[in-house]
Each structure stands twice: as C-alpha cells, then as structure tokens.
C-alpha cells in the first residue's frame, strides 16, 4: 500500500472469487485464533477453522509473519477509514465526528486485532505508514474541534487512539446488550471530558512516535529514543 492507495486496497492482481473467499476465511480464522491463542496459534489450526487445507493457506501467506502482517494491516485500514470519515465530518460537527469514530470502531472490533489491543506486532513498513496516516487524520479532527472551541487544547491524537483501543476491548462475561450500553456510556463520558470547560490539568501526552515504537517486535531504525533510555 502506498499513500495514494485507498485504505484496505492493494496493488496485487484481483483474485478469483473462490481464491478471494479462501483468503478472507483464512484472515477471519487468523483473527479469532490470534485473539484466543496468541500469535503462536498453529497454522494448521487456522486452516482448519477457515475450512481450507494448509496448502491453500500457504499459497496466500507464505509464512506466519506474512499472515500476522496482513491481519494487522487490515485492522489499521479499518481505523484509517473511520479516522478519515471523522476528519470530513469534523468540519461541521467535531464532537459528533469523534463519537461516530469511537463507536464505529466498537462495531468493527472483531476485525481490529491490533498491537494496542493486545494483538500481534509487526515491523511491516505499511503498518507504520498506516499508523502515521491515522494519527494525522485524527489531528485534523482535533484541529477542527479546537477551532470551534469544542475541545480542550491539551487533547492529542494519542488520547483518541488509546481510548478507542480501551473501549474496543471485549467484555466477555457480560450479556452483549449490557456490554454495548457500558461502552456507549464510557464513550459519552470520555467525550464530555474533552470539552474545554474543565480545570483538571493533564500530564503531557506521549507523542504518536513514542507510543508506536513499543508496538513492534523491535525498535525500528528510525525510532526516537525512549524516555527510559535517557535516564
């Protein structure tokens, strides 16, 4: 994916219908297996859940790292779509845009097997690029909100990203309706906390780069030094 490629799209040749279906089934099975078993989930178990043989899985994804990377990329593409939609809506209704952004991620959380939600990590450069694009789109939302006096000035994109990650975590022991009600309430409480009429001073937020460096198997070469390394 490049910056000019729409999120969720790829430059690879279009797959036949059956091949595309198999690929989608493998990715859905991988998301479930990674959530339940971690990234060490056996690939033959993922193939079994997908209803395909292991050779079919390997034709689509030559190794575990390729499968992990695609699961993460798909999740970031969903987030980027929501962030870009929010950036457009924020020009007229910034807080409404943020609420829609948060709740749309909750609605799609089954596809969000992302590092910040406890999912697998990857050093795939496309994933890092998607993260940067998400942060930039959310900064657009906040810029529009600040211009209209709708949010406090010390809110950063990383606050939106981490809060979205928290509300997307499942509440497995509650009935679905109760869990959905609690999530909606918590999003509302968070949005009220963004309003400018507050006296509580926030600690300085980490930057997007400072957070992202911990969401990969190893620090990328261009990563900024962590706070711990400065001590």
């Amino acid at each position: 994916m490049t910056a000019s490629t729409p999120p969720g799209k790829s430059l690879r040749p279009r797959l036949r219908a059956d091949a595309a279906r198999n690929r989608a089934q493998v990715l859905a099975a991988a998301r479930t297996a990674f959530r339940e078993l971690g990234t060490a989930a056996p690939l033959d178990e993922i193939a079994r859940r997908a209803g395909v043989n292991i050779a079919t899985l390997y034709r689509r994804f030559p190794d575990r790292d390729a499968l992990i990377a695609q699961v993460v990329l798909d999740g970031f593409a969903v987030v980027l779509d929501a962030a870009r939609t929010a950036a457009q809506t924020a020009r007229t209704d910034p807080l409404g845009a943020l609420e829609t952004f948060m709740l749309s991620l909750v609605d799609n959380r089954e596809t969000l097997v992302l590092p910040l939600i406890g999912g697998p990590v990857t050093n795939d450069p496309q994933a890092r690029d998607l993260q940067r694009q998400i942060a930039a789109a959310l900064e657009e939302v906040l810029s529009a909100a600040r211009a209209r006096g709708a949010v406090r000035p010390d809110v950063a994109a990383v606050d939106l990203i981490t809060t979205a990650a928290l509300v997307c975590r499942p509440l497995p022991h509650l009935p679905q309706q109760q869990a959905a009600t609690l999530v909606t309430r918590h999003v509302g409480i968070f949005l009220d906390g963004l309003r400018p009429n507050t006296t509580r001073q926030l600690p300085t937020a980490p930057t997007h780069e400072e957070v992202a460096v911990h969401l990969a198997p190893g620090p990328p070469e261009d990563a900024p030094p962590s706070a711990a390394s400065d001590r």
Side-chain angles (χ1 to χ4, degrees), residues 92-193:
T92 55
D93 183 12
L95 286 180
L98 288 174
E99 181 174 18
T100 300
F101 169 74
M102 293 283 183
L103 295 180
S104 69
L105 296 190
V106 172
D107 289 342
N108 289 285
R109 64 184 170 192
E110 292 301 314
T111 65
L112 303 181
V113 187
L114 297 173
L116 201 58
I117 310 178
V121 294
T122 177
N123 269 332
D124 190 297
Q126 295 181 57
R128 300 217 301 274
D129 181 58
L130 284 170
Q131 286 178 289
R132 295 186 188 101
Q133 292 184 62
I134 291 165
L138 292 178
E139 285 294 352
E140 284 186 43
V141 177
L142 289 175
S143 178
R146 294 186 194 106
R148 296 174 66 90
V151 301
R152 52 192 296 167
D154 53 355
V155 177
V158 70
D159 297 313
L160 306 180
I161 293 167
T162 53
T163 300
L166 292 172
V167 298
C168 282
R169 296 187 74 89
L171 300 172
H173 301 296
L174 293 180
Q176 185 175 4
Q177 185 173 357
Q178 287 185 10
T181 298
L182 283 174
V183 167
T184 302
R185 283 174 54 85
H186 291 166
V187 169
I189 291 168
F190 171 71
L191 292 174
D192 280 350

Side-chain angles (χ1 to χ4, degrees), residues 4 19 21 25 28 44 71 82 85 95 97 100 126 198 202-203 207:
S4 61
R21 182 174 58 252
Q25 289 173 181
D44 56 355
V71 165
T85 299
L95 286 180
T100 300
Q126 295 181 57
T198 181
L202 298 177
T207 65

Side-chain angles (χ1 to χ4, degrees), residues 66-78:
L67 181 57
I68 288 173
Q70 192 60 55
V71 165
V72 173
L73 289 172
D74 287 352
F76 280 135
V78 170

Side-chain angles (χ1 to χ4, degrees), residues 15-35 43-53 56-57 60-61 67 70-71 74 110:
L15 297 174
R16 298 193 321 270
D18 58 339
R21 182 174 58 252
N22 288 342
R23 186 175 187 277
Q25 289 173 181
V26 168
L27 288 168
R31 286 192 291 267
T32 302
F34 290 158
R35 278 195 298 267
L43 294 185
D44 56 355
E45 169 64 12
I46 292 173
R48 185 190 67 78
R49 294 186 183 203
V52 302
N53 60 49
T56 298
L57 185 152
R60 303 273 73 87
F61 305 100
L67 181 57
Q70 192 60 55
V71 165
D74 287 352
E110 292 301 314

